[in-house]
Amino acid sequence: MHSRYGPPAVVRVTEVAKPSIGDDDVLVRVHATTVNRTDCAYRAARPFFVRTFTGLARPRRTVLGTEYAGVVEAAGGGVTSFSVGDRVFGYNEGAFGTHAEYLSVPEGGAIATMPTGVTFEEAAPGTEGSHYALSFIRTAGVRPGHDVLVYGATGAIGSAAVQLLKHRGATVTAVCDTARLELVKGLGADRVVDYTAEDFTRDEQSYDAVFDAVGKSTFGRCRRLLKPGGVYLSSDLGPWCQNVLLPLVTPLFRRRKVKFPFPKQDQEMVRYFRELIEAGEFRPVIDRRYPLEQIVDAYRYVETGRKIGNVVITVVPPN
C-alpha cells in the first residue's frame, strides 16, 4: 500500500483488512498481478492532474494494482455469472486494489473466467497493455491490409499491439533495439527496424497509422511517415499535452491526423482477450516475476524504462 505520493519507496507491504462484498460483487483471492506504467503514474501522481481523480494531498486508494488473476472465494447473493472456485482475470483501474491478497469486484465489471490452458501468472498481464493497444487500433480504424508502424514494440502496449494488429490483418513494421529483434519478429511483425542503427522517422515507407507505444516521439517527427489521411497516436500526452490538443486541429487540414484514444474497460474487453489467448492469437510477453514481498523492487525495475512486455507479481506461489 502507499499513503502518500512519491517514488517506489513510498510503497510498503503490510496487513490490510479483507475487502467486504455486496450482493452483486465477487471476492477474488488474487494469485498474480502486475506492476505497469499505469500503476507507476498513479503512485507518483504524474502528471499532476491525476490527483483530481485520486486525491489532491494524499491518495484515496492506498492499495494500487490494475490487473489480476485469481480464484473466486465468495460471491454476493445476487451474483449469477460467477461461482466460488472459478478461475478469473480482469482489469480494475480506478478502483485498483489488485496488489493485495483479496479483491472485491462487481459482477458486471471488467472480469471474466480465465483462458483455458494458461497459468495465473500468464493470465494476469492479459489486459492492461493490451486494452490500450486495442484502443489504438480501433481509434485509428485499422483494417486488413493497412500498413502500420509500432514504435516501442517491446513494451506491454507495443508487444500487444503487434499481435493484435496481425490478428486484424494489418502489415506491421515494428521498431525496437538490436537485442529484441528476434523477439519482435516472433510476435508476428512483418518488418523490424532497429532504432539503434537507423532513425525510424527517416523510413522511406509510408503508413496508414503510426503508434508510438512508449510516448517518446511526436507527431512532428512522425508526420512524414503517414500516408494522406494517415493517423498518428501516442500512449503519452506529449510535450505541452500536444497529443490531446492536436486531435482538435489536424482534422481541419484533411490530410494527416492525430487522434488520442480513450480506452474502454468492460467485461466485453476482458472476454475478447480471453478468446484471443485461448486461440493462440495473443500472448502477453513476460519479462520478470517478483513475489509480492518484493513489489518495491518491481516498481523500481519498471521505472528504469527497460522492461520487456510485462512485470508479474506472484501473490500465491504456484504449487
Side-chain angles (χ1 to χ4, degrees):
M1 63 171 290
H2 73 308
S3 56
R4 59 191 176 91
Y5 298 117
V10 302
V11 176
R12 55 194 174 92
V13 178
T14 187
E15 292 290 329
V16 296
K18 183 185 292 188
S20 59
I21 60 171
D23 284 345
D24 299 320
D25 301 329
V26 295
L27 181 68
V28 178
R29 188 183 185 197
V30 177
H31 282 236
T33 180
T34 66
V35 170
N36 50 55
R37 284 171 58 189
T38 302
D39 299 317
C40 293
Y42 281 109
R43 187 213 70 235
R46 290 198 309 261
F48 187 87
F49 74 78
V50 303
R51 293 174 184 243
T52 60
F53 309 108
T54 62
L56 288 176
R58 293 181 178 274
R60 288 191 292 265
R61 304 283 186 177
T62 57
V63 180
L64 286 172
T66 57
E67 50 187 350
Y68 63 94
V71 176
V72 175
E73 181 157 300
V79 173
T80 59
S81 301
F82 302 98
S83 302
V84 172
D86 283 350
R87 292 156 57 97
V88 294
F89 78 126
Y91 192 68
N92 211 44
E93 183 178 349
F96 304 106
T98 72
H99 291 169
E101 294 178 312
Y102 292 94
L103 173 71
S104 176
V105 184
E107 177 188 23
I111 179 175
T113 54
M114 269 176 49
T116 58
V118 301
T119 67
F120 294 110
E121 292 183 341
E122 291 168 336
T127 55
E128 196 260 352
S130 54
H131 96 289
Y132 285 118
L134 181 62
S135 181
F136 284 1
I137 293 167
R138 289 175 171 173
T139 300
V142 174
R143 300 190 300 274
H146 272 187
D147 294 305
V148 182
L149 181 141
V150 179
Y151 174 46
T154 59
I157 299 174
S159 61
V162 171
Q163 297 176 75
L164 298 179
L165 284 163
K166 290 306 299 177
H167 175 70
R168 186 65 60 105
T171 300
V172 180
T173 294
V175 182
C176 65
D177 65 7
T178 309
R180 314 301 173 190
L181 296 177
E182 293 306 315
L183 168 66
V184 175
K185 289 177 184 176
L187 297 176
D190 299 281
R191 176 171 166 253
V192 183
V193 175
D194 181 353
Y195 71 77
T196 67
E198 56 184 302
D199 181 355
F200 79 93
T201 66
R202 308 309 301 173
D203 194 2
E204 293 302 318
Q205 185 171 333
S206 58
Y207 300 92
D208 297 285
V210 171
F211 296 166
D212 179 355
V214 286
K216 293 183 178 180
S217 188
T218 63
F219 174 61
R221 290 191 64 211
C222 295
R223 186 179 182 279
R224 63 173 302 277
L225 296 172
L226 293 170
K227 298 177 182 179
V231 180
Y232 171 84
L233 305 99
S234 175
S235 64
D236 192 80
L237 297 177
W240 307 103
C241 294
Q242 64 176 263
N243 293 328
V244 180
L245 300 175
L246 286 173
L248 304 175
V249 177
T250 53
L252 301 176
F253 300 99
R254 300 182 181 180
R255 294 283 290 174
R256 297 165 179 85
K257 307 179 185 68
V258 177
K259 293 187 177 182
F260 194 79
F262 291 93
K264 184 179 181 181
Q265 50 171 310
D266 56 18
Q267 199 161 102
E268 180 185 355
M269 174 268 288
V270 184
R271 289 174 176 170
Y272 177 74
F273 291 127
R274 178 185 63 194
E275 294 171 2
L276 291 187
I277 293 171
E278 285 184 337
E281 296 291 328
F282 167 58
R283 63 174 179 86
V285 174
I286 297 174
D287 184 345
R288 294 187 181 185
R289 295 173 170 86
Y290 292 84
L292 182 60
E293 293 75 19
Q294 296 177 15
I295 194 169
V296 175
D297 293 330
Y299 268 110
R300 290 188 179 115
Y301 178 61
V302 170
E303 294 202 342
T304 65
R306 298 196 299 268
K307 79 175 177 69
I308 306 301
N310 300 272
V311 171
V312 172
I313 305 298
T314 301
V315 181
V316 177
N319 296 327

